[in-house]
Amino acid sequence: MSGQRLQAEAEPELAPAPLSVRGGGHDRAGRVFRWLATGSGVLILAVLAAVAGFLLLEAWPALSASREDLAAISWIPDDGSLLGYVGPLVFGTVLAAILALLLAVPVAIGIALFISHYAPRRLADVLGYLVDLLAAIPSVVYGLWGGLWLAPKLQGVWGWLSDNLGFIPLFEGPAATPPRVMMTVGVVLAVMILPIVTAVSREVFLQTPRLHEEAALALGATRWEMVRMAVLPFGRSGVISASMLGLGRALGETMAVLMILSPGLTYSWALLMAGRHQTIAANIALQFPEANPLGVSALIATGLALFVITLLVNMAARWVVSRRAAFSGAN
Amino acid sequence: MTRRRTALAIALAVAVSAPLAACGSDDPINHPWRPGGSTPGPAAPVAEGDLAGSLTAAGASSQESAMAAWAAGFQSAYPDVVVSYDPVGSGGGRTQFVEGGIQVAGSDAPLDDEELAAAQDRCAPGDVAELPLYVSPIAVVFNLDGIASLNMSPATVAGVFARTITRWNAAEIAADNPGVALPDLAITPVTRSDESGTTENFTEYLAAAAPQAWPYEPSGNWPLDGGQSAQGTSGVVQTVTDGVGTIGYADASKAGSLGTVALGVGDDFVPFSPEAAAALVDASPRAAGRPAASLVVDLDRTSTAPGTYPLVLVSYTLACTAYEDDADAELVAAFLAYVASEEGQAAAASAAGSAPVSPALREQVLAVVEGIAP
Amino acid sequence: MASTDTVTRTDAPQPTTHELLTRPDRRRHTVDRVMRVVVTLAFLVAMIPLVSLVWIVLSEGYHRLSPYFLAVSMRGVFGGMDAGGIYHAIVGTLLVTGAAAVISVPIGMMTAVYLVEYGRGALARAVTFFVDVMTGIPSIVAGLFAYALFAIFLGPGVRMGVAGAVALSVLMIPVVVRSTEEMLRLVPNELREASLALGVPKWRTIVKVVLRTSAAGIVTGVMLAVARVIGETAPLLITLGVVDSINYDLFDGRMMTLPVFIYRQYSQGLVPCRPDQLDCIATINFDRAWAAALVLVVIVLLLNLLARVVARRFAPAKGH
């Protein structure tokens, strides 16, 4: 950060340097370029304002509707409370995303470390490429695979979990047949975000300054100590932003949840029971086709809630990253 | 250097995409590369004409397969016509129809009063037409090893889905099925997770036929929380197939190899069939208080007439009797005439397992269709 | 420099160099070996589902795939007919995703340049923050936004390719900005300063030095962004609708895309075939869905491959 400011301050002195070959024309080009860059930033603000404005505008009829009107929508609770409807959805959305992150991030860090610092050079190149390819596979394909192939295979595992670890509220039984439950969703989402978290983490780990690594090794550190002292601290903010990318994908994933989960609107920790949870994105896709205008507006209000969740998550991540901002390549 | 590479990349992109653009064909039926040689498409159902243009429709996903068959048949008779059906759902179809974005809509439920008024505005000076052109039985399907069919009275079905009957060897089920070895297994009811016409018809049936065992209001959204559910007919069928001891309700055409329930009607048990579904529509009265062009059927779920299957989904085709554009009116009239024709109904029956409408109903529909004018 | 800080901090109280060199370090080596096994295991375990995914898509999609399947649309195909293909969906996916990339890559890249090279003060902070916010827009909401935008100007019920492209751009721009920004920040300031010291104007420094240095990373980021949007289903369902004929025109009429095609085929489910029907395959819809998924994956992989080649070509001589 500070280096950047330094450079920006240095610019006026450096730009009109006598060595400049062509002089005046560059000034205008520089201004146009700068204007284009700034304009793009402003355009993004405008687009976002438009989206947010539209969201609010479209959600307003539901936000301001009377309880009686809302209760007339068949899938809203009989007391007509929008909060009572959104609450379990928010819970389910966050639960699914956190479950996916908890499962995926440690494994992703492991894979990224393996590729960047453990695997033989030649193998690492191939693996890195493979992971990039997997990250590029569309989520609808992961959904198809998770719903049709993986989910049926998890039945036995969940049965075992609920039989043997059922005393833990998370694994409360009996496990549902077929396993259209939150746990399955978590696993599929984890597999889905694994490549993308890995790809970004690997990229960051590879950027660890060679000098840091060699310094650690020269001090007698083992490979793991080198990783722990040089690579992980350097890559921490990168891993966090990679996780955020994965979290974004998990929070907004529609297809896989839609195809796998038996939805229900409760605040339940029982991950292995059907009809307990639902996520916002899947719920919008599920109810949108048959919704009347007020229903659409209520669904958009839930979309607004999803928006706010991601906002909070991003702010939290930004805060964590900024506390650790010391390791930026630009320094 | 850089520029040359960019040029090369563009040339490559063009070289790759040019043949791609050239070899696309919009005629898969008669395409020479079709495996097994090309078979002729469906025979031209109506006299070849010079109709052209595009007819856009949207609405209930229940009609999707039937609409695909109708579009195919109609387009083969009029090669210059493009019929597209967007299965956005009944609600979406009704909204788009009222807004004027589409000429024809498919809906699992008739228009409610508010929508009816708005639709009348959209169709002015004509009327809105609601034609029951897609009639399909809903099957109660289950997955039990070695049992292909069970008898259940309405009260038993209601008890199973209300979760008051929880095991397959319960006395209520055994009483209706003497001689069947019922397993000692938990019943897992599977319902639709999305709001749907199928659910609405099913709950309407339960509420009408077994009011004691089914204390809930009829609704397009499943009233009980905390069970297995899935999106769409195929989602329900898939879930019932994947589970053990599962039972669900689905459009009969998708029942496949699952076991099905014969429902109690009077003292009999009637398995689903297109004929029995059509018989119920014939035995039911027209809904009162609607425009002349609106042929809405008030299904009689408690009918004890022999040979009727009470669990039926009637999906309506919405159109106007007047369009601003002459070409639109001509196109819609020709299309609906084809859909209501024997050939059209047979095409839907073969593609979607629906029940062909009876000759009496067809006459009423054709009378409305003839009235469609610019 | 920073890492030596960390080393000393984590190992407090500090041993002397002599102690470090002579202390028996069996425990440390055991930890090292254990971690090597753990990391390798994590890798192997994670590869199982990923490899199985690729395998399933290949094996399920392969037998339906043929030149015929790629060359024709679904016009006139219904029921269990052994006919029909995905040409219309391929065309739609390429056109819509291409248009989305054309919209979002310049905007996204220039925004990243602004943030890294020019941005200071409240505006830059606002842009950074709101790009983060934008990352969280649910895809279905982006679709609703695009639909409403076009509906206001062109009337309700409008369905056209470019509306889908706008929806995808809303999803794609923040990803492009973030990845480009990340890559630009990794360019060492020494390079910038060297260029500026030679009297090269700032904008030429950015174009010729900063962007060139990070070209490979930027292309990778753009590919990730394309990958994020190419499989989007929900927004395209709203904005493009569903059609079974070919449509080349981004500005008129409904368009089919591969993800929507996969979803539609999947949700149509099994076909009821009567025993007397010869031209009827019960699983035809699932077969088509898998084959279309395979094609979608292949397209993504080809794009990726292309990006690799481009990145390698445009990258400056490897210095590190």
Side-chain angles (χ1 to χ4, degrees):
Chain A
M1 279 306 214
S2 61
Q4 208 183 310
R5 194 163 305 133
L6 201 151
Q7 170 216 339
E9 279 159 14
E11 181 208 6
E13 294 160 38
L14 288 171
L19 278 174
S20 178
V21 201
R22 274 174 252 168
H26 280 142
D27 245 32
R28 202 185 310 139
R31 266 204 303 278
V32 169
F33 190 78
R34 186 190 181 120
W35 181 84
L36 271 179
T38 316
S40 298
V42 173
L43 184 67
I44 286 191
L45 294 187
V47 168
L48 200 79
V51 174
F54 160 75
L55 270 182
L56 264 175
L57 202 68
E58 293 289 300
W60 188 248
L63 295 175
S64 60
S66 69
R67 283 180 170 239
E68 291 77 45
D69 285 350
L70 282 174
I73 301 173
S74 64
W75 32 263
I76 287 202
D78 288 337
D79 64 354
S81 144
L82 198 57
L83 268 183
Y85 182 63
V86 175
L89 286 174
V90 170
F91 175 78
T93 307
V94 174
L95 187 65
I98 288 181
L99 202 58
L101 264 198
L102 285 182
L103 291 171
V105 169
V107 180
I109 293 175
I111 307 174
L113 279 180
F114 179 79
I115 295 174
S116 65
H117 286 84
Y118 283 87
R121 191 57 188 240
R122 197 166 288 250
L123 181 65
D125 283 350
V126 175
L127 290 178
Y129 184 49
L130 191 70
V131 169
D132 277 2
L133 292 187
L134 286 169
I137 290 179
S139 61
V140 66
V141 178
Y142 279 99
L144 204 62
W145 167 82
L148 292 180
W149 188 83
L150 181 68
K153 303 208 163 22
L154 293 171
Q155 174 79 62
V157 184
W158 296 165
W160 183 87
L161 269 181
S162 70
D163 287 348
N164 294 289
L165 297 171
F167 56 89
I168 305 172
L170 286 180
F171 302 132
E172 189 185 328
T177 60
R180 299 169 56 83
V181 296
M182 196 47 144
M183 198 69 182
T184 312
V185 170
V187 170
V188 172
L189 289 182
V191 173
M192 188 179 286
I193 64 176
L194 194 57
I196 211 161
V197 179
T198 306
V200 180
S201 307
R202 179 192 63 106
E203 195 76 21
V204 179
F205 290 157
L206 282 176
Q207 302 284 350
T208 312
R210 214 42 202 271
L211 279 176
H212 295 191
E213 296 177 17
E214 280 164 7
L217 291 174
L219 284 171
T222 61
R223 184 173 288 256
W224 168 245
E225 285 164 342
M226 180 270 283
V227 165
R228 198 161 55 88
M229 292 168 189
V231 179
L232 289 183
F234 177 83
R236 185 158 316 177
S237 73
V239 170
I240 290 174
S241 64
S243 308
M244 288 307 122
L245 213 59
L247 189 66
R249 214 166 156 172
L251 280 172
E253 175 54 34
T254 313
M255 284 298 293
V257 181
L258 202 57
M259 285 160 69
I260 294 170
L261 191 64
S262 282
L265 300 176
T266 65
Y267 298 96
S268 163
W269 291 104
L271 298 178
L272 299 178
M273 289 167 81
R276 295 291 190 277
H277 311 95
Q278 172 70 313
T279 72
I280 293 176
N283 187 60
I284 294 179
L286 187 66
Q287 302 293 6
F288 190 77
E290 293 295 326
N292 61 13
L294 186 62
V296 169
S297 156
L299 290 176
I300 291 178
T302 66
L304 205 60
L306 179 55
F307 204 66
V308 173
I309 295 173
T310 40
L311 195 75
L312 293 177
V313 166
N314 272 313
M315 278 161 72
R318 186 149 280 276
W319 180 69
V320 174
V321 173
S322 71
R323 279 193 354 172
R324 296 263 168 194
F327 299 92
S328 164
N331 274 310
Chain B
M1 203 57 170
T2 312
R3 198 156 294 159
R4 203 188 308 152
R5 277 195 191 124
T6 316
L8 197 82
I10 292 172
L12 196 76
V14 171
V16 167
S17 54
L20 195 71
C23 73
S25 162
D26 234 350
D27 188 8
I29 309 294
N30 300 308
H31 196 278
W33 296 356
R34 190 174 168 198
S38 56
T39 47
V46 269
E48 300 259 344
D50 53 355
L51 280 178
S54 73
L55 193 155
T56 40
S61 50
S62 58
Q63 291 193 33
E64 188 179 6
S65 304
M67 262 302 178
W70 290 330
F74 193 65
Q75 285 173 157
S76 75
Y78 301 102
D80 293 335
V81 175
V82 176
V83 178
S84 67
Y85 184 72
D86 196 347
V88 292
S90 299
R94 291 198 296 266
T95 310
Q96 287 187 31
F97 177 73
V98 168
E99 283 173 347
I102 51 176
Q103 290 114 310
V104 169
S107 170
D108 288 346
L111 297 165
D112 65 27
D113 295 344
E114 206 175 306
E115 287 167 338
L116 195 60
Q120 287 287 53
D121 278 353
R122 181 245 196 268
C123 290
D127 272 341
V128 57
E130 297 174 281
L131 310 171
L133 289 172
Y134 179 81
V135 176
S136 175
I138 297 171
V140 177
V141 294
F142 60 86
N143 186 14
L144 282 180
D145 266 348
I147 301 179
S149 172
L150 282 175
N151 296 333
M152 285 193 192
S153 68
T156 312
V157 176
V160 165
F161 279 93
R163 297 189 210 132
T164 51
I165 300 173
T166 57
R167 299 202 74 81
W168 279 105
N169 56 357
E172 294 92 333
I173 302 179
D176 290 341
N177 297 282
V180 179
L182 292 162
D184 181 16
L185 192 69
I187 301 179
T188 306
V190 179
T191 62
R192 284 283 288 267
S193 56
D194 48 338
E195 189 175 356
S196 74
T198 311
T199 304
E200 183 148 22
N201 279 283
F202 185 56
T203 50
E204 248 173 46
Y205 162 71
L206 294 179
Q212 279 88 36
W214 186 255
Y216 309 97
E217 294 273 311
S219 158
N221 192 54
W222 190 251
L224 280 88
D225 249 343
Q228 290 276 9
S229 59
Q231 186 207 15
T233 293
S234 51
V236 170
V237 169
Q238 184 83 38
T239 308
V240 171
T241 310
D242 287 349
V244 181
T246 42
I247 184 168
Y249 55 92
D251 198 285
S253 64
K254 305 278 180 173
S257 57
L258 290 167
T260 55
V261 171
L263 295 173
V265 178
D267 296 329
D268 268 351
F269 291 99
V270 182
F272 78 83
S273 69
E275 296 75 29
L280 180 78
V281 175
D282 282 347
S284 303
R286 280 263 304 273
R290 300 185 77 89
S294 169
L295 306 177
V296 174
V297 181
D298 204 354
L299 288 175
D300 181 11
R301 308 283 186 187
T302 51
S303 165
T304 51
T308 59
Y309 182 79
L311 190 46
V312 170
L313 167 78
V314 176
S315 193
Y316 296 89
T317 305
L318 310 183
C320 290
T321 58
Y323 287 88
E324 271 175 31
D325 189 351
D326 292 7
D328 275 359
E330 213 178 334
L331 205 55
V332 170
F335 179 67
L336 293 183
Y338 165 66
V339 168
S341 72
E342 257 174 79
E343 292 89 339
Q345 289 291 310
S350 118
S354 64
V357 297
S358 66
L361 188 57
R362 175 174 303 122
E363 251 170 58
Q364 292 179 330
V365 170
L366 287 177
V368 171
V369 169
E370 272 159 27
I372 296 181
Chain C
M1 246 193 300
S3 91
T4 43
D5 282 355
T6 321
V7 172
T8 46
R9 205 190 309 135
T10 40
D11 275 0
Q14 290 177 29
T16 66
T17 314
H18 180 74
E19 276 173 337
L20 265 176
L21 287 173
T22 52
R23 177 204 282 169
D25 47 5
R26 183 171 300 154
R27 193 191 60 81
R28 289 172 51 225
H29 282 284
T30 313
V31 168
D32 184 50
R33 257 192 302 265
V34 167
M35 286 319 291
R36 181 186 297 257
V37 172
V38 166
V39 165
T40 314
L41 268 183
F43 169 77
L44 291 178
V45 166
M47 279 337 247
I48 295 171
L50 296 177
V51 167
S52 93
L53 168 85
V54 173
W55 173 246
I56 295 289
V57 171
L58 264 178
S59 60
E60 295 276 339
Y62 166 75
H63 54 91
R64 188 76 219 161
L65 205 58
S66 67
Y68 168 77
F69 186 70
L70 295 176
V72 300
S73 69
M74 287 289 284
R75 187 176 150 97
V77 177
F78 64 91
M81 246 186 222
D82 181 13
I86 54 168
Y87 180 77
H88 58 315
I90 297 177
V91 169
T93 289
L94 293 184
L95 284 177
V96 173
T97 316
V102 165
I103 297 172
S104 32
V105 170
I107 296 179
M109 262 176 64
M110 287 310 279
T111 306
V113 166
Y114 166 74
L115 287 176
V116 177
E117 307 292 341
Y118 293 107
R120 264 171 300 161
L123 181 62
R125 274 201 302 277
V127 172
T128 311
F129 179 73
F130 283 112
V131 165
D132 276 1
V133 172
M134 214 168 163
T135 320
I137 294 181
S139 59
I140 198 158
V141 173
L144 285 172
F145 161 69
Y147 171 69
L149 190 72
F150 280 77
I152 286 170
F153 293 109
L154 299 169
V158 61
R159 296 280 193 284
M160 58 164 77
V162 73
V166 168
L168 293 188
S169 310
V170 171
L171 299 170
M172 200 170 161
I173 287 173
V175 185
V176 176
V177 175
R178 273 192 150 192
S179 56
T180 309
E181 192 189 349
E182 194 91 1
M183 289 307 145
L184 294 184
R185 286 204 194 282
L186 288 174
V187 175
N189 268 353
E190 288 84 346
L191 281 184
R192 294 189 181 90
E193 279 154 13
S195 170
L196 291 170
L198 286 173
V200 180
K202 180 158 183 173
W203 74 274
R204 278 187 75 85
T205 302
I206 294 170
V207 174
K208 292 284 176 188
V209 177
V210 179
L211 287 178
R212 277 295 291 276
T213 312
S214 48
I218 293 176
V219 171
T220 310
V222 169
M223 292 328 298
L224 283 178
V226 168
R228 155 137 200 225
V229 298
I230 204 169
E232 285 296 351
T233 313
L236 296 183
L237 210 53
I238 296 174
T239 49
L240 300 189
V242 171
V243 72
D244 50 18
S245 307
I246 302 170
N247 179 8
Y248 292 109
D249 192 350
L250 272 173
F251 296 92
D252 183 35
R254 286 153 205 267
M255 237 178 189
M256 190 52 123
T257 56
L258 279 171
V260 176
F261 180 85
I262 295 170
Y263 171 65
R264 287 311 317 165
Q265 292 294 317
Y266 168 80
S267 57
Q268 281 183 33
L270 292 171
V271 179
C273 282
R274 288 190 324 267
D276 58 319
Q277 274 177 305
L278 291 176
D279 185 23
C280 182
I281 301 173
T283 59
I284 186 82
N285 291 330
F286 290 130
D287 293 350
R288 287 200 201 103
W290 281 115
L294 178 57
V295 172
L296 183 57
V297 168
V298 168
I299 288 178
V300 171
L301 298 196
L302 282 181
L303 277 175
N304 222 300
L305 210 67
L306 200 70
R308 287 267 150 166
V309 175
V310 170
R312 187 160 299 172
R313 291 262 159 142
F314 280 77
K318 276 262 157 93
H320 48 280

